[in-house]
Structure formats: C-alpha cells, structure tokens
Amino acid sequence: MNKAELVNAIADRLNEPKAKVSETVDAVFDAITAALAKGDDVRLPNFGVFAAAVTAERKARNPQTGEEVKVPAGVRARFKPGKALKEALEAGRGPGR
C-alpha cells in the first residue's frame, strides 16, 4: 500500500474528503518525524513503537564488485511492532497467508 492507497482507504472508511485525509496523514507523518528527530520515541498502543537508533560506523561489501565500503555512522528509524499487530499478523491476516 502506498500513501495514495492509504489516503483512499481512510477517506472511504471515514467518509471524509480525500484532501482533508491527505492533510491529516501528512500531519501524522510530520509529527512522527519531528519526534524522532528530537530523539523521542513514538509509542502507539497496540500498534508499535517508532524509535531513533544511533548506528556506529561499519564496513560492508558491495555485492556487485565485492569491494569493501565504509558505511558512516548515523541515526536510523526503527519500528518494533506491538502485541496486537503481531497477533493480527500471526492470525493469518498478514501477507502470504
């Protein structure tokens, strides 16, 4: 599902204009991004936790050439699914089931 499909699904479910739903979805994404940029976690009960994680510099290999490359240190977004989301996926409502 891409953003447009998400907006359409929410608009249909709530019977709201797609433009209004798109603004709301953008606002949610902006709020999550701002919180992570500040170093805060975003906890959504029964769904999961978004967190910013600091990664150390490391070495990796280019799979095409086999050449060793340096991956710089940085901050990455991480997501840990909540119990309800895990259970929904395990109950066969997820992909490939």
Side-chain angles (χ1 to χ4, degrees):
M1 173 180 282
N2 62 31
K3 182 183 169 192
E5 292 168 337
L6 176 64
V7 168
N8 287 337
I10 295 170
D12 289 345
R13 183 171 178 175
L14 299 178
N15 197 27
E16 292 287 339
K18 290 178 187 174
K20 181 178 177 183
V21 172
S22 183
E23 287 178 27
T24 303
V25 169
D26 287 339
V28 170
F29 292 159
D30 290 345
I32 292 171
T33 301
L36 292 176
K38 287 189 330 187
D40 295 339
D41 291 350
V42 177
R43 297 179 179 278
L44 305 172
N46 295 320
F47 185 73
V49 178
F50 292 93
V54 177
T55 60
E57 181 177 289
R58 64 186 174 88
K59 293 179 183 177
R61 291 212 178 269
N62 179 329
Q64 293 179 338
T65 65
E67 177 186 0
E68 194 172 84
V69 293
K70 182 174 73 170
V71 178
V75 180
R76 309 284 187 261
R78 300 282 189 245
F79 177 75
K80 181 178 178 185
K83 183 179 177 183
L85 179 58
K86 285 182 193 177
E87 289 173 355
L89 294 174
E90 289 171 3
R93 291 180 270 176
R97 305 263 160 119

